[in-house]
Amino acid sequence: MPIRWAPVLACLVVGALGDATVAEDFDPLQYVDVLIGSTNAGNVFPGASLPYGMAKAVADTNSSSNQGGFTLDGNPVQGFSVSNLGPSPYFSGSPSLGNFPFFVYPSCPGDDINLCDFPKKTRVNHGSFKPENVKAQPGYFSITLDMGVQAEMTTTQHTALYRFTFPNGPGSNGTYPFVMQDLSDLSDSRQDNGTVSVDAQTGRISGGAKFLPSFGSGSYTAYFCTDLSGPSIQDSGIYVNSRATTEAKDLTISRSINGYPLPGGGFVRFQDATTPILARTGVSLISTEQACANAEAEVPDFNFDSVTKAAKDAWKAKLSPITVSAGGGVAKDLITNFYSGIYRTMVNPQNYTGENPLWKSDEPYFDSFYCLWDSFRSQIPFLVILDPVAVAQMIRSLIDTYRYEGWLPDCKMSLCRGYTQGGSNADNVLVDAYLKGISDGIDWNVGYQAIVKDAEVEPYDWATHGRGGLDSWKSLGYIPVQDLDYKGFGTMTRSISRSLEYAYNDFCISLMSKAMNNTADQEKYLDSSENWKNVFYPDQTSFLPTGVDTGFKGFFQAKYLNQTWASQDPLTCSNLDTTGIACSLQNTGRETFEDSTWEYGLSPRSSPFSNITMLADQARARRGRTSTFLGTSTRLQEVSREMTIPARWAQCVPHHAPFFESVNLTHPTTGKTATIRNVNFDPSYEAIYIQSATMNGQPYTKNWLDHSFFLEGKELVLTLGKTESTTWGTAVKDLPPSTGKYVGFNGTASGQRLRSKSALKYRSDTWKMDAFAR
Ligand SMILES: *[C@@H]1O[C@H](CO)[C@@H](O)[C@H](O)[C@H]1NC(C)=O
Ligand SMILES: *[C@@H]1O[C@H](CO)[C@@H](O)[C@H](O)[C@H]1NC(C)=O
Ligand SMILES: *[C@@H]1O[C@H](CO)[C@@H](O)[C@H](O)[C@H]1NC(C)=O
Ligand SMILES: *[C@@H]1O[C@H](CO)[C@@H](O)[C@H](O)[C@H]1NC(C)=O
Ligand SMILES: *[C@@H]1O[C@H](CO)[C@@H](O)[C@H](O)[C@H]1NC(C)=O
Ligand SMILES: *[C@@H]1O[C@H](CO)[C@@H](O)[C@H](O)[C@H]1NC(C)=O
Ligand SMILES: *[C@@H]1O[C@H](CO)[C@@H](O)[C@H](O)[C@H]1NC(C)=O
Ligand SMILES: *[C@@H]1O[C@H](CO)[C@@H](O)[C@H](O)[C@H]1NC(C)=O
Ligand SMILES: *[C@@H]1O[C@H](CO)[C@@H](O)[C@H](O)[C@H]1NC(C)=O
């Protein structure tokens, strides 16, 4: 799904891993603003979660962009849900999860339960709140609704703990606070049959229901178990639609016949509102019993403050390895953006180890890879640096999925297969981790088998894994527009971007083949990684909508089966494309996915760098002109700060400097601290051009870094100036590695694994794999 943050994260990495002075008690959480992105359809999850946590508690609004649950766009709250996808940082499909929401009333009018509103559509009328009554921090979320209910929430791995208080005491002329829990999810996807049971003695509410994922096929069943603590229980029961009863304690509820799931759930009333009501909800994908066991084990004592502290400590531990100097006049907002961005890299994927009902295995199970097409170029390579232990578990989970389902997923959510968007991108993730030495319990032989299968075997359903059009790929060397593909089925568009992604996937496979001493495969996939050339049309021109010639020639273009060129305008799918035609998975005939060939041409990861000279010429030629064309700054450095299209190219040739005076990153497994320090740091960001650099005190002219920088804790010192240096980092030997086979680089690879000077056919081994190089 569309994640537009690749450049953002990359810039953070390039721009911030530097030198850091850290006070002993440095608390990075002071710089995390989890509400960033909760307006303007940012679709982030701003609620409480542990790193990679399964329980995700937040107040859900009824906003049309409530994909992450909560929004600050003026819409009222409809519930407090227990699980959430919290796409990081944003997802624009339908909302996912948000299961089993609570709603709480200070009392029902006249203490008549039938005068409380149960369905989402009516209870939302009681959900208004003021933005200043929202408090969100890593591991903690609090909101006070105007009707006089404060809902605070925190989580452990599988359990959400809520604390409901009533600042004004009971209202609406009733006495008994009313807590209800709904058998619904954010997108009202419940299928047959939802069940709920309420224990009259203890007030335990438990049950489960089947739901649909938002960007995948199939369904999943989720279970919950809620225990309550606080004032004495008055009574309890179930509700269906707009009516409740204390007579029945069990409910099995169907979908309604008109397709909208019938509202239903359980409720408990309390005798007074003098002490807070605590609600502890365990979740599970196995059973209600396991949901209860999870809750009992993780939150034995309903101690809200200690659970909150543990959640915060977990986040603090994850973020503390990176420190930036707040000195030199740097704006606090930038530091806040920085840490908030890092925080978001660990909200998803979710760790469902022990909660996978699909197969029995002792391997870890991670879910909510949403999707690898997005995260291979941004989030996951970053985590390879910052959290390699978690990445190893994610990779084991991907490989285990291959073992049991026959294919690596490209997207995996709520136990279901998500849709492919172009390419089999688990390949890239596996190879990145392999080349950077992540080994921890991973069976790399099976991993290799899995990525080769992606390249060799076309699945019948390539809409949810693998690659389509493999016959054409192998015989023609590209995915033709209007391909003939009778072996498998998926959306037959995106022929340009699919060709580019497949070439990149093959390039990655070639790198791993090389590292595994499989020369035949190395050659084979290196050759097919050159296939991007087959969709590069050197004579393609580009005119602005006004009819003005941009003056640039040479763009990727779609090609028919008969090898003649098709004619997608280079501006199609760009922000100057005003047709409104989707460039997504809808079958609209667009030959690029979510971007134009302008961007695909500038993006290093979509061309496997075999002839970086060609693309470099293109990019250089475009540089001075990007302002007219893209409506942004002329200088790449500035452009990258705008995080707009050419930023990805800027990452490839990063002449731009860090945002902070210094940054330190302590590698979590080697314990070594890498530092970037800026001499002549300028917080007004005029002096952002690198004039010279040293690495561990020695002159350094390469305009890129490799992974050993982080592993071995080196020190990079950049000297900055106000004008772009014409000499630093501009020589051919300073460019990022590329396939020497075609470009003729002959320098020494400085990569972490492929160090051998002999038989170095290419030296793209590390650079391509680096987070900031994508
Ligand atoms: C980075 O680490 C060095 C060495 O410990 C220290 O002198 C410097 O203050 C640190 N900088 C930051 C921003 O934490
Ligand atoms: C949310 O609920 C409010 C109150 O009922 C209503 O005015 C608004 O239209 C709803 N928003 C959406 C997107 O349905
Ligand atoms: C209390 O609420 C009930 C139900 O709305 C209403 O019938 C009754 O008149 C109310 N009593 C008072 C004293 O407001
Ligand atoms: C749903 O529950 C009803 C009543 O117990 C039962 O007849 C029906 O077969 C169930 N449907 C499914 C799909 O389990
Ligand atoms: C994932 O969950 C399992 C089981 O709870 C745990 O052992 C493991 O450490 C978790 N992994 C991460 C990266 O948190
Ligand atoms: C590949 O060969 C090198 C040199 O002989 C050796 O060190 C390395 O362990 C081999 N790698 C694998 C995966 O077999
Ligand atoms: C190639 O195929 C396209 C699409 O069917 C067609 O428009 C074009 O005329 C063909 N070109 C040649 C040379 O046959
Ligand atoms: C690579 O591109 C450059 C610049 O366009 C060109 O001169 C050179 O011939 C190309 N090399 C190969 C092997 O295609
Ligand atoms: C690398 O290329 C340069 C320039 O072509 C040449 O002078 C040098 O000998 C080459 N080095 C190696 C190790 O092949």
Side-chain angles (χ1 to χ4, degrees):
M1 270 286 127
I3 288 187
R4 303 275 181 184
W5 68 331
V8 180
L9 184 58
C11 290
L12 289 180
V13 176
V14 171
L17 298 185
D19 136 81
T21 328
V22 66
E24 277 297 299
D25 57 352
F26 173 73
D27 182 2
L29 301 193
Q30 68 184 295
Y31 293 114
V32 177
D33 181 352
V34 300
L35 290 170
I36 291 175
S38 54
T39 53
N40 291 328
N43 296 358
V44 299
F45 170 74
S49 169
L50 282 186
Y52 317 112
M54 177 165 164
K56 287 185 162 35
V58 78
D60 298 321
T61 71
N62 70 340
S63 165
S64 54
S65 56
N66 66 355
Q67 281 82 350
F70 183 70
T71 56
L72 269 175
D73 57 4
N75 284 293
V77 166
Q78 62 183 12
F80 311 110
S81 66
V82 179
S83 66
N84 219 293
L85 187 59
S88 59
Y90 86 66
F91 165 65
S92 60
S94 22
S96 239
L97 300 172
N99 314 83
F100 312 124
F102 283 97
F103 204 72
V104 177
Y105 292 104
S107 65
C108 296
D111 281 331
D112 177 351
I113 50 179
N114 281 309
L115 294 178
C116 265
D117 280 317
F118 308 124
K120 268 184 204 175
K121 283 179 176 171
T122 48
R123 70 185 190 233
V124 79
N125 295 326
H126 308 270
S128 66
F129 66 94
K130 293 177 187 61
E132 61 268 27
N133 292 333
V134 175
K135 192 172 165 197
Q137 297 163 347
Y140 174 81
F141 185 91
S142 168
I143 185 168
T144 303
L145 303 182
D146 296 341
M147 69 164 158
V149 173
Q150 182 186 14
E152 293 170 283
M153 48 210 92
T154 183
T155 61
T156 59
Q157 186 63 30
H158 311 91
T159 307
L161 183 63
Y162 299 80
R163 182 162 66 188
F164 301 116
T165 46
F166 305 92
N168 315 327
S172 306
N173 89 12
T175 306
Y176 308 132
F178 180 96
V179 173
M180 55 181 275
Q181 194 168 14
D182 220 19
L183 290 170
S184 69
D185 68 344
L186 269 175
S187 58
D188 293 316
S189 77
R190 197 187 68 234
Q191 311 289 299
D192 279 348
N193 276 331
T195 61
V196 66
S197 299
V198 184
D199 185 303
Q201 258 66 55
T202 64
R204 171 174 279 189
I205 309 173
S206 61
K210 188 193 275 187
F211 302 98
L212 304 181
S214 67
F215 189 67
S217 58
S219 62
Y220 68 97
T221 302
Y223 305 91
F224 72 99
C225 175
T226 297
D227 289 306
L228 297 152
S229 164
S232 303
I233 291 173
Q234 170 70 11
D235 56 10
S236 63
I238 53 112
Y239 63 90
V240 179
N241 216 345
S242 55
R243 288 288 172 262
T245 175
T246 54
E247 302 298 308
K249 308 290 182 197
D250 301 288
L251 170 70
T252 296
I253 190 166
S254 145
R255 272 188 82 80
S256 79
I257 45 171
N258 64 11
Y260 185 81
L262 213 50
F267 74 86
V268 175
R269 287 201 298 178
F270 294 85
Q271 285 180 5
D272 62 69
T274 52
T275 56
I277 297 168
L278 287 144
R280 175 189 74 184
T281 300
V283 285
S284 172
L285 295 164
I286 302 288
S287 64
T288 302
E289 291 69 33
Q290 185 150 323
C292 297
N294 284 341
E296 286 160 358
E298 292 171 12
V299 187
D301 57 1
F302 290 83
N303 187 328
F304 190 89
D305 293 337
S306 75
V307 174
T308 304
K309 180 174 186 308
K312 287 188 176 170
D313 287 349
W315 280 110
K316 191 172 168 182
K318 290 289 187 192
L319 302 187
S320 293
I322 298 190
T323 54
V324 302
S325 69
V330 73
K332 184 171 183 252
D333 280 0
L334 261 182
I335 307 178
T336 300
N337 279 347
F338 178 71
Y339 280 104
S340 305
I342 296 170
Y343 165 83
R344 294 236 159 265
T345 65
M346 295 185 227
V347 175
N348 280 325
Q350 299 179 17
N351 184 356
Y352 290 180
T353 303
E355 291 293 338
N356 174 12
L358 302 176
W359 60 82
K360 286 251 168 308
S361 162
D362 291 331
E363 287 294 281
Y365 180 78
F366 276 68
D367 196 282
S368 309
F369 288 104
Y370 207 172
C371 298
L372 295 176
W373 181 89
D374 305 79
S375 55
F376 88 77
R377 55 194 109 220
S378 48
Q379 175 195 14
I380 298 186
F382 179 70
L383 294 178
V384 165
I385 298 168
L386 191 65
D387 201 353
V389 170
V391 171
Q393 293 177 24
M394 291 173 202
I395 293 207
R396 284 168 62 179
S397 170
L398 292 172
I399 293 175
D400 213 38
T401 304
Y402 163 77
R403 260 189 216 109
Y404 287 91
E405 296 189 343
W407 298 93
L408 291 166
D410 198 61
C411 207
K412 188 85 172 164
M413 67 185 60
S414 313
L415 307 172
C416 299
R417 294 182 172 289
Y419 298 117
T420 53
Q421 295 159 90
S424 46
N425 302 299
D427 308 354
N428 312 349
V429 170
L430 263 59
V431 174
D432 183 28
Y434 180 74
L435 293 179
K436 289 180 183 162
I438 292 186
S439 55
D440 218 4
I442 302 171
D443 187 335
W444 281 117
N445 289 322
V446 180
Y448 187 67
Q449 230 177 57
I451 64 177
V452 167
K453 184 174 179 184
D454 280 339
E456 295 301 323
V457 184
E458 174 160 338
Y460 181 72
D461 178 12
W462 56 262
T464 58
H465 46 227
R467 311 186 203 167
L470 280 184
D471 281 0
S472 293
W473 179 248
K474 287 181 180 296
S475 61
L476 295 168
Y478 61 94
I479 298 300
V481 57
Q482 295 166 19
D483 193 15
L484 166 66
D485 179 9
Y486 58 90
K487 295 197 170 156
F489 296 88
T491 307
M492 297 292 286
T493 54
R494 304 160 289 136
S495 63
I496 300 172
S497 50
R498 281 167 59 213
S499 298
L500 298 174
E501 307 283 9
Y502 294 4
Y504 187 83
N505 300 150
D506 283 355
F507 183 81
C508 291
I509 299 174
S510 170
L511 292 179
M512 184 155 170
S513 307
K514 175 180 169 141
M516 295 188 103
N517 302 327
N518 185 337
T519 312
D521 278 5
Q522 178 195 341
E523 288 294 325
K524 174 180 173 180
Y525 294 113
L526 184 59
D527 281 350
S528 53
S529 80
E530 294 293 321
N531 281 350
W532 65 274
K533 284 181 178 169
N534 299 331
V535 289
F536 187 80
Y537 179 36
D539 295 330
Q540 179 66 53
T541 52
S542 174
F543 290 78
L544 295 173
T546 53
V548 172
D549 187 350
T550 62
F552 295 104
K553 216 164 100 171
F555 291 88
F556 290 114
Q557 184 52 278
K559 220 186 234 180
Y560 291 108
L561 269 164
N562 64 11
Q563 314 219 26
T564 62
W565 293 107
S567 59
Q568 175 163 308
D569 190 298
L571 289 177
T572 296
C573 305
S574 76
N575 54 359
L576 297 184
D577 178 348
T578 52
T579 60
I581 298 173
C583 297
S584 191
L585 288 182
Q586 292 93 329
N587 207 345
T588 53
R590 297 305 208 196
E591 299 307 329
T592 45
F593 186 69
E594 294 188 351
D595 275 318
S596 65
T597 56
W598 266 96
E599 183 171 14
Y600 276 100
L602 289 164
S603 159
R605 53 85 188 158
S606 57
S607 55
F609 320 120
S610 317
N611 191 342
I612 201 165
T613 314
M614 183 165 109
L615 291 169
D617 287 350
Q618 285 277 321
R620 282 194 199 102
R622 287 173 193 178
R623 273 167 80 161
R625 310 282 301 268
T626 48
S627 61
T628 6
F629 180 66
L630 297 163
T632 56
S633 151
T634 49
R635 290 175 298 173
L636 279 179
Q637 280 85 346
E638 295 163 0
V639 170
S640 74
R641 279 160 207 278
E642 298 283 317
M643 295 158 184
T644 54
I645 289 174
R648 290 194 192 157
W649 181 260
Q651 295 150 34
C652 171
V653 187
H655 287 245
H656 63 88
F659 290 93
F660 307 108
E661 191 164 23
S662 67
V663 187
N664 285 359
L665 187 147
T666 302
H667 192 272
T669 53
T670 67
K672 301 272 176 56
T673 297
T675 294
I676 297 177
R677 200 153 49 76
N678 287 312
V679 176
N680 300 336
F681 176 71
D682 168 17
S684 69
Y685 301 108
E686 281 176 31
I688 54 173
Y689 300 98
I690 299 169
Q691 309 296 309
S692 65
T694 61
M695 180 71 81
N696 284 352
Q698 301 301 311
Y700 190 78
T701 58
K702 288 186 193 128
N703 56 32
W704 55 281
L705 301 171
D706 67 59
H707 194 56
S708 69
F709 177 76
F710 302 106
L711 284 180
E712 295 168 16
K714 298 179 183 173
E715 186 195 36
L716 177 69
V717 178
L718 305 172
T719 300
L720 306 182
K722 288 192 178 172
T723 53
E724 187 166 5
S725 166
T726 51
T727 51
W728 183 84
T730 56
V732 167
K733 67 176 172 44
D734 300 325
L735 294 176
S738 183
T739 47
K741 187 172 175 183
Y742 295 98
V743 177
F745 284 172
N746 64 1
T748 306
S750 53
Q752 175 214 339
R753 275 183 168 259
L754 307 176
R755 277 167 204 270
S756 155
K757 282 190 189 172
S758 60
L760 252 184
K761 263 213 130 80
Y762 50 84
R763 28 173 275 186
S764 339
D765 40 34
T766 54
W767 169 66
K768 257 184 90 133
M769 295 287 129
D770 278 339
F772 45 83
R774 291 231 166 86

